[in-house]
Amino acid sequence: MRALALAALLAACNAPSSGPRFRAAGGEPRAGGTLRIAFPGAVSSLDPTIAYDELSFYVLHHLFDTLVDYAPGSFDPIPRLAERWEISDDGRTLRFWLRPGLTFADGKPIAAAHFKYSLERARTTPDSPFGPMLADVVGISAPSDRELVIALGAPNTAFLYVLAMPFATPQREDHVMAAGDNLRRMPLATGPYELGSWDEGQHIVLHEREGYFDPTRNRIGAIDVRENVPRDSQFLMLEAGELDTMMSPTPPDLLWVTSSAAWQPYVHRRSLLTTFGSRFDVTVKPFDDVRVRQALNYALDKSAIVKLLTGTATPAHGILVPGMLGFDDKLAPYPHDPAKAKALLAAAGYPDGFATTYVTTDDADASTLAQSLQADFAEVGVRVTIQQMSFATFATAIGKHGTPFAFVSWLADYPDPSNFLDTRFHSKSISEEGSLNASFYSNPALDALLDSARAERDPAQRAELYRRAERIVHDDAPWLWGYHSIATEVSQPYLKGFDQHPVWLRDFTTAWLDLDVDGERVRR
Amino acid sequence: MIGLVVRRVAWALVVIWFAITLTFVLTAAVPADPTHALLGPHATPETTARAKAHYCLDEGLVVRYGCWLEGVVQGDLGESYRTRRPVADILGDRIGPTMQLAFAAILIQLLVGVPLGILAAIRRGRWPDRACNLVTLLAQSAPSFVVGTIALYVLAFKLGWFPLSGYGVGGLDRLHHLILPATTLAAAGIAFYARVVRSELVEALSEDYVRTARAKGLPESTVVLRHALRNALGPLVTLIGLDLGVLLGGTVIVESIFAWPGLGREVVQAIVDVDLPLILGTVLVTSIAIAIANLVTDLVLLWLDPRLRERR
Amino acid sequence: MTHRGAVVGAILVGLLLVIALLGPHLAGHDPIARDIDRGLSAMGAPLGPSVDALLGTDHLGRDVWARLISGAGTSLWIAGLATLLALVIGLAVGLSAGYAGGWVDGVLMRGVDLVLSFPFLLLAILLAALLREAGLASSTAPVILTLAAVGWTTMARVIRGKAMTIARAEHVTAARALGASPLRIIVRHILPNVAGIVVVIALLGLAQALLAEAALSFLGLGPPPPAASWGRMLFEGRAYYRTSPHLVVAPGIAILVAVVAFNLLGEGLRDLLDPKERR
């Protein structure tokens, strides 16, 4: 009886509601209003020296400014708290001049020494994830209140990007000391917003900061974040007009929203700085044979993946992301060619394929991808058993030997090829445990290329070096190249000026709310 | 009586110790390196060693266990690896919402289950009994996450009777947010309550004292409510006690669906992250709550039925 | 009512067993064959019911009918084996405690108390996570062992209670006086008398195990892909409840019917054995 009622109800609600309930008021860019968003999980910490996860970063980006930032919609570095900078000819000295009149949220002035303090704090805090990013730094000095000099032991062209990360925001020692253990929830803002309240695991409110130097960056008066709201509930809330924008609707919701003429214009898509695939442990059989690795690359049907992920992916031919320096347009992904895969397997001595275990995480997408891979490989005789693990165990397992074949992903810290290629394929990234070079791939020719590219300052020359490096890893295939993912966001018609940032993604510093004169949302 | 309570409390302490020790052993056996959660992917051997020393992770299992127990005795439950927040603070935030949910669910089970059971008992064999049977059978046979999802969609989204997610602010708003998750949680339990009440009533209604009451010409409602229902009190109290335990650990799914900021969702996330201090803290709190529930149940049973005192 | 209930339950259970056994012949399609081209819409959405696919396709373009049928086998296998394991432990503990009484009973029942006082779902999550990561991950073993580990306690309690009454019965005391070994007494005198209640709690346990499998699947701790189990199907299809409701309705009703069937049969049998209920 109940089952029947349930079926009838479900059938009745087959077609979700018609379109957005509210429309844009049609006004000029204006300040004010509260932006309501939600996260599927919880923010872990608001201490920029500690927090290192996607959700916390969305909040930190609005609280903390850094010397350098990225221009809207691009990877190009622009001055933010710095007015300008100079890099010495040998690439080892970076000199920054601060903007005049900068202040912390409590009104006290920001000085060059505060940047020095936060970088040193990252290096000396035992549980800061960012210390290793400063490995090249040999000296930091503040010759005057508005002048900061950073000396590097070896030239590193990408170092500028490191300084754009939230942990490099200026911090004040007296605040850090006074806050003590509560620092994680007492951020001393330097950016366009400051913390209003935080009911942990439930609700974060950010307010625009009075006296911030660039009033175009906090036109939205407040940002109201609900934590721990599942994505399907977020979509219901968006439809009901309780959220102004949401990220990553579930596959069915995304399919529906893109096929709805009323919603379709408000679906944003942005390629992320991510690469997904699978990694082979190239030191163990049968994956020590490059022909096996190439064969499996030919066996994988990447168009199937794109379809299964409902279009939120583009096939990858290597680790670098389209649009970034060093990405090679002329290189194509391995085509889906089971015949060629079989021939390569036979040449490697596996005419009948082999059996192997595939380790992956236990979220829904990973499960779908693993099952698709399993079906593809079965076609060429490779029998795959899927083993799913929780993320913590998975992360530990793929960082060491003993897991020959596993899912892998890389979400870059900044848009520089070194953060992809050096971290994942340079032999110096190999370690016994927690190996970032999870394939244990070691190639002196690649190492040499990467080392010279890291120091190269001429962008064209540098791009060429990375293109050569990409070709090497493409052919040697220490990974099974999969796809780059595309982030999606659906917003209400009245959210204007919003553009998913290629690095920060959920960046509301360019957005404004097109409300009526009373600040109300206008019904359609 | 006092001796009994002392023995019970001592046993409760053993139970709590067992629960956290078992959890420690189980969790420590999971092959996940906590430094990954602490330091992210860029950790070097040096930073890893430093973090391990800082979090007492470079010691053997027994030392770590001792280290943790010592902290507990001093009221320090450590810090969550993922958020670096003191575990005691996290638990302090989460226990309230879970308690509200569990008690609300029990209340609903009582308010719906008991009348259903009474109805079924006095009309036994006839259609109210059968209908009640069918409804309770179906209610206890549907997976709670399906019930929750459908309830959320139909009652909150389509009909707009309830909020879509969250915890609410202030009394009435909180109540409004609480109804849907609590009802979902209670759905299966209503059936058990109804059955217990029905079977106890059926038994009592044929007892001599009930017949006597009837013979005295008391109205049937008085007979049922005043005399027969008393028979069902003991089993009901036992059921509530057991239920508290199940619900305190079993709110996981409902909390995830309705974004209810309780312990269940927190502990699932903690297990996924292998966040040992937080897992241990949650189990500690939950097992204490269960122990208290058991203790109170025993005492209430004793108070209801003094004969039990002699049997012990 | 209960009599009829038992009959309905028995028929349904029989039907389920037939489906589970004949699964491959009834399915028509391969339950784990992904079909990207024909099994999904151009945009990648699951297809609704049609002549080709009676119950439509899922998010990997697989035939839902085929998965539902083969899922009967997987789900019943998991629930059945878990219940059997739980029963074996429950019988061993329950009979020993009930027969021996005294300190043996005290120790064993305190053990049951310990396990029962541990939050059920928490224990399940921890155990499932652990077993999965102990190299047993690519089989159904973690789910089965988890369900068994949490399921045996109630069984032990019920069996112990029953065994205790029987052990004090006259014919048993007589047998004991004649010098029969404890094992013989348990096997010859007690076991036959608890058999009825054992069948009942096994059936009710099966119903619980089916639901628990779904709950574990919801938490990502169910049986590993690509095998179809009802819990896994429900979990994978949950997000599609608005646009492709067949992905929720099909496994949802399957679980509902199976759980109702086992409950009906179990409760019906209990009432037959213990007529007090039916007065």
Side-chain angles (χ1 to χ4, degrees):
Chain A
M1 191 180 79
R2 180 175 175 142
L4 283 179
L6 187 149
L9 266 175
L10 283 171
C13 48
N14 218 333
S17 64
S18 47
R21 290 192 182 179
F22 300 93
R23 62 175 172 83
E28 292 297 305
R30 61 193 291 268
T34 297
L35 178 80
R36 301 157 311 168
I37 60 173
F39 291 163
V43 168
S44 65
S45 169
L46 296 180
D47 178 352
T49 305
I50 297 293
Y52 188 38
D53 60 283
E54 184 194 346
L55 299 181
S56 303
F57 263 36
Y58 296 145
V59 178
L60 294 186
H61 173 64
H62 294 89
L63 291 177
F64 295 112
D65 273 357
T66 44
L67 290 165
V68 189
D69 196 355
Y70 302 94
S74 99
F75 294 143
D76 298 335
I78 54 166
R80 182 66 69 199
L81 293 183
E83 198 168 45
R84 64 192 172 91
W85 65 81
E86 267 176 27
I87 301 174
S88 66
D89 290 338
D90 63 359
R92 291 188 184 202
T93 311
L94 289 82
R95 189 178 289 268
F96 296 88
W97 285 269
L98 303 193
R99 222 176 257 278
L102 292 173
T103 57
F104 288 102
D106 63 1
K108 294 190 179 157
I110 291 175
H114 299 132
F115 290 92
K116 178 175 154 76
Y117 173 70
S118 67
L119 294 181
E120 278 165 0
R121 194 173 161 242
R123 283 213 284 193
T124 51
T125 305
D127 52 350
S128 171
F130 304 105
M133 291 189 179
L134 302 172
D136 286 332
V137 176
V138 291
I140 310 169
S141 59
S144 76
D145 272 356
R146 285 183 52 200
E147 213 177 334
L148 183 76
V149 182
I150 298 175
L152 302 179
N156 177 357
T157 312
F159 190 73
L160 204 57
Y161 298 127
V162 173
L163 294 177
M165 295 184 71
F167 82 90
T169 192
Q171 298 180 44
R172 226 172 51 218
E173 188 170 7
D174 65 305
H175 173 78
V176 171
M177 291 301 153
D181 285 345
N182 284 323
L183 188 63
R184 54 182 298 286
R185 42 179 304 124
M186 288 176 66
L188 182 55
T190 57
Y193 289 88
E194 62 186 330
L195 182 65
S197 64
W198 185 16
D199 199 352
E200 284 202 42
Q202 294 184 59
H203 196 192
I204 296 188
V205 182
L206 306 182
H207 293 299
E208 65 181 305
R209 183 151 81 83
E210 300 283 326
Y212 179 69
F213 68 89
D214 183 355
T216 65
R217 292 191 77 230
N218 53 13
R219 279 183 296 209
I220 291 174
I223 303 178
D224 183 302
V225 189
R226 297 278 163 186
E227 295 175 85
N228 281 318
V229 183
R231 292 189 296 159
D232 49 350
S233 301
Q234 283 190 36
F235 192 76
L236 295 178
M237 291 170 78
L238 182 82
E239 275 190 82
E242 291 175 24
L243 287 184
D244 297 320
T245 181
M246 78 158 289
M247 189 174 143
S248 303
T250 62
D253 290 339
L254 181 66
L255 284 174
W256 177 75
V257 94
T258 41
S259 63
S260 146
W263 274 109
Q264 213 274 333
Y266 310 107
V267 181
H268 307 258
R269 288 166 188 274
R270 174 68 80 176
S271 191
L272 282 172
L273 283 175
T274 54
T275 306
F276 290 79
S278 311
R279 72 101 175 97
F280 307 110
D281 183 341
V282 302
T283 64
V284 298
K285 274 188 180 315
F287 305 114
D288 56 344
D289 190 325
V290 66
R291 288 168 298 188
V292 171
R293 305 198 297 264
Q294 288 173 341
L296 297 180
N297 268 290
Y298 282 114
L300 188 72
D301 183 359
K302 281 170 278 289
S303 66
I305 295 179
V306 171
K307 192 166 176 183
L308 288 174
L309 294 177
T310 56
T312 59
T314 45
H317 64 240
I319 196 172
L320 295 185
V321 174
M324 69 180 294
L325 181 110
F327 179 81
D328 194 344
D329 291 327
K330 291 183 207 67
L331 218 52
Y334 282 84
H336 181 221
D337 189 345
K340 192 158 186 177
K342 272 187 173 155
L344 278 165
L345 282 174
Y350 301 98
D352 303 319
F354 54 87
T356 188
T357 298
Y358 184 65
V359 172
T360 186
T361 60
D362 53 13
D363 64 278
D365 273 359
S367 165
T368 303
L369 293 170
Q371 294 181 66
S372 183
L373 175 148
Q374 190 180 40
D376 286 338
F377 282 15
E379 272 182 59
V380 300
V382 175
R383 300 169 298 282
V384 173
T385 311
I386 299 169
Q387 185 173 349
Q388 291 187 288
M389 291 180 170
S390 67
F391 187 77
T393 329
F394 167 80
T396 306
I398 64 161
K400 53 186 182 192
H401 290 293
T403 309
F405 183 36
F407 174 76
V408 74
S409 65
W410 180 241
L411 171 57
D413 300 293
Y414 43 82
D416 190 80
S418 63
N419 193 255
F420 290 80
L421 286 159
D422 290 38
T423 47
R424 305 307 309 235
F425 302 115
H426 197 293
S427 64
K428 69 171 194 256
S429 300
I430 296 179
S431 57
E432 275 310 300
E433 287 195 352
S435 189
L436 248 189
N437 181 342
S439 300
F440 302 94
Y441 173 76
S442 172
N443 179 343
L446 179 74
D447 288 357
L449 259 180
L450 293 178
D451 288 340
S452 50
R454 192 180 167 85
E456 179 59 56
R457 295 199 53 208
D458 172 42
Q461 188 60 32
R462 201 160 177 254
E464 177 50 31
L465 290 171
Y466 280 121
R467 278 197 289 269
R468 277 163 60 192
E470 267 262 281
R471 245 164 280 152
I472 293 178
V473 290
H474 170 84
D475 293 345
D476 261 0
W479 280 19
L480 176 65
W481 306 114
Y483 64 95
H484 308 290
S485 66
I486 295 171
T488 54
E489 177 107 22
V490 189
S491 37
Q492 304 280 6
Y494 53 78
L495 177 65
K496 293 286 184 68
F498 170 68
D499 185 21
Q500 292 168 291
H501 192 276
V503 178
W504 305 121
L505 211 56
R506 296 197 96 177
D507 168 23
F508 299 105
T509 58
T510 57
W512 56 282
L513 294 165
D514 193 3
L515 311 174
D516 70 12
V517 283
D518 303 322
E520 298 290 333
R521 287 156 179 85
V522 184
R523 283 206 163 267
R524 204 156 57 118
Chain B
M1 181 74 185
I2 300 222
L4 179 73
V5 172
V6 170
R7 276 208 306 281
R8 282 290 156 138
V9 170
W11 173 240
L13 288 177
V14 174
V15 170
I16 292 164
W17 170 83
F18 172 82
I20 55 177
T21 306
L22 180 69
T23 311
F24 188 91
V25 173
L26 287 177
T27 318
V30 174
D33 183 358
T35 51
H36 194 274
L38 288 167
L39 296 177
H42 294 288
T44 61
E46 298 81 62
T47 56
T48 306
R50 199 169 55 170
K52 279 192 168 166
H54 188 74
Y55 281 87
C56 190
L57 287 166
D58 49 353
E59 301 286 351
L61 209 57
V62 179
V63 177
R64 279 164 59 195
Y65 177 65
C67 193
W68 185 77
L69 263 194
E70 200 183 312
V72 171
V73 173
Q74 292 161 358
D76 175 15
L77 299 178
E79 277 178 15
S80 151
Y81 293 150
R82 190 176 71 86
T83 64
R84 322 294 205 267
R85 191 176 182 210
V87 170
D89 291 3
I90 301 179
L91 297 178
D93 270 6
R94 299 288 164 258
I95 189 112
T98 290
M99 290 280 188
Q100 291 170 25
L101 197 53
F103 282 113
I106 288 178
L107 194 67
I108 294 173
Q109 287 169 353
L110 282 173
L111 289 180
V112 183
V114 172
L116 273 182
I118 295 175
L119 187 72
I122 54 181
R123 296 269 180 275
R124 71 178 172 283
R126 274 173 279 166
W127 73 264
D129 187 17
R130 291 179 196 179
C132 172
N133 240 324
L134 189 68
V135 170
T136 53
L137 184 67
L138 289 176
Q140 78 185 76
S141 305
S144 63
F145 66 91
V146 179
V147 176
T149 306
I150 308 289
L152 181 73
Y153 181 65
V154 176
L155 300 178
F157 180 72
K158 277 281 164 184
L159 301 173
W161 292 352
F162 299 100
L164 283 165
S165 78
Y167 184 53
V169 188
L172 270 182
D173 190 33
R174 172 74 41 80
L175 199 63
H176 196 203
H177 280 80
L178 183 59
I179 293 173
L180 216 44
T183 312
T184 307
L185 195 58
I190 290 172
F192 292 110
Y193 282 67
R195 269 146 203 254
V196 165
V197 170
R198 177 186 178 276
S199 92
E200 292 298 326
L201 271 187
V202 166
E203 192 176 329
L205 285 174
S206 62
E207 297 276 343
D208 289 342
Y209 68 95
V210 173
R211 280 200 217 123
T212 318
R214 275 202 186 119
K216 275 197 285 185
L218 290 176
E220 184 68 15
S221 58
T222 317
V223 173
V224 171
L225 294 179
R226 290 274 295 278
H227 296 271
L229 195 57
R230 177 164 291 182
N231 202 33
L233 272 181
L236 265 183
V237 170
T238 313
L239 199 56
I240 293 173
L242 279 175
D243 236 18
L244 261 182
V246 175
L247 289 179
L248 286 177
T251 53
V252 175
I253 288 171
V254 169
E255 285 177 4
S256 316
I257 292 176
F258 293 96
W260 191 258
L263 270 182
R265 205 185 53 198
E266 196 74 37
V267 76
V268 169
Q269 188 59 45
I271 291 173
V272 169
D273 298 335
V274 195
D275 195 338
L276 188 59
L278 187 50
I279 297 176
L280 286 171
T282 322
V283 173
L284 180 70
V285 169
T286 324
S287 56
I288 290 177
I290 293 176
I292 294 177
N294 287 343
L295 193 64
V296 173
T297 310
D298 283 352
L299 294 178
V300 172
L301 284 177
L302 280 178
W303 174 72
L304 279 177
D305 188 354
R307 281 173 302 173
L308 284 175
R309 266 178 242 177
E310 284 135 42
R311 256 196 259 159
R312 302 261 163 181
Chain C
M1 164 75 191
T2 42
H3 210 76
R4 236 181 300 160
V7 174
V8 173
I11 293 173
L12 285 175
V13 168
L15 212 62
L16 282 171
L17 288 178
V18 170
I19 290 175
L21 291 173
L22 294 181
H25 304 285
L26 295 172
H29 291 267
D30 181 348
I32 59 172
R34 176 203 64 168
D35 189 344
I36 304 293
D37 300 325
R38 282 165 303 157
L40 293 173
S41 77
M43 291 184 64
L47 301 180
S50 69
V51 186
D52 279 344
L54 281 180
L55 291 177
T57 62
D58 74 355
H59 65 299
L60 277 155
R62 298 175 295 201
D63 187 81
V64 172
W65 168 253
R67 283 181 77 69
L68 198 68
I69 298 297
S70 100
T74 319
S75 293
L76 290 181
W77 165 255
I78 290 172
L81 207 58
T83 310
L84 192 68
L85 268 176
L87 203 58
V88 169
I89 309 173
L91 268 176
V93 173
L95 287 179
S96 322
Y99 173 79
W103 67 269
V104 177
D105 180 43
V107 169
L108 286 175
M109 285 303 110
R110 283 287 148 104
V112 172
D113 281 352
L114 280 182
V115 178
L116 270 180
S117 65
F118 199 80
F120 151 74
L121 214 50
L122 206 61
L123 181 64
I125 295 170
L126 272 177
L127 264 183
L130 188 68
L131 288 168
R132 250 164 26 127
E133 273 129 26
L136 290 165
S138 15
S139 68
T140 47
V143 192
I144 294 174
L145 290 176
T146 305
L147 294 181
V150 294
W152 67 272
T153 46
T154 14
M155 302 199 175
R157 271 195 173 172
V158 176
I159 294 168
R160 172 234 180 211
K162 191 85 182 164
M164 198 159 251
T165 342
I166 299 165
R168 311 280 173 276
E170 270 174 37
H171 65 284
V172 178
T173 343
R176 211 184 286 196
L178 287 171
S181 74
L183 193 67
R184 190 182 155 82
I185 292 176
I186 289 180
V187 172
R188 287 290 298 273
H189 298 278
I190 300 183
L191 205 54
N193 283 302
V194 296
I197 192 77
V198 163
V199 171
V200 170
I201 55 174
L203 287 167
L204 298 179
L206 258 166
Q208 286 305 307
L210 279 169
L211 284 178
E213 189 250 312
L216 283 184
S217 290
F218 175 81
L219 297 167
L221 299 167
S229 82
W230 292 339
R232 177 155 206 104
M233 289 175 73
L234 207 48
F235 165 62
E236 287 181 345
R238 191 176 85 93
Y240 293 81
Y241 70 99
R242 295 174 70 186
T243 47
S244 310
H246 63 278
L247 292 181
V248 182
V249 174
I253 289 185
I255 293 182
L256 194 73
V257 168
V259 175
V260 165
F262 284 111
N263 274 332
L264 273 179
L265 185 57
E267 281 165 12
L269 282 180
R270 183 181 57 198
D271 295 350
L272 282 176
L273 292 168
D274 182 13
K276 190 175 74 182
E277 278 276 303
R278 291 172 60 221
R279 273 184 307 197

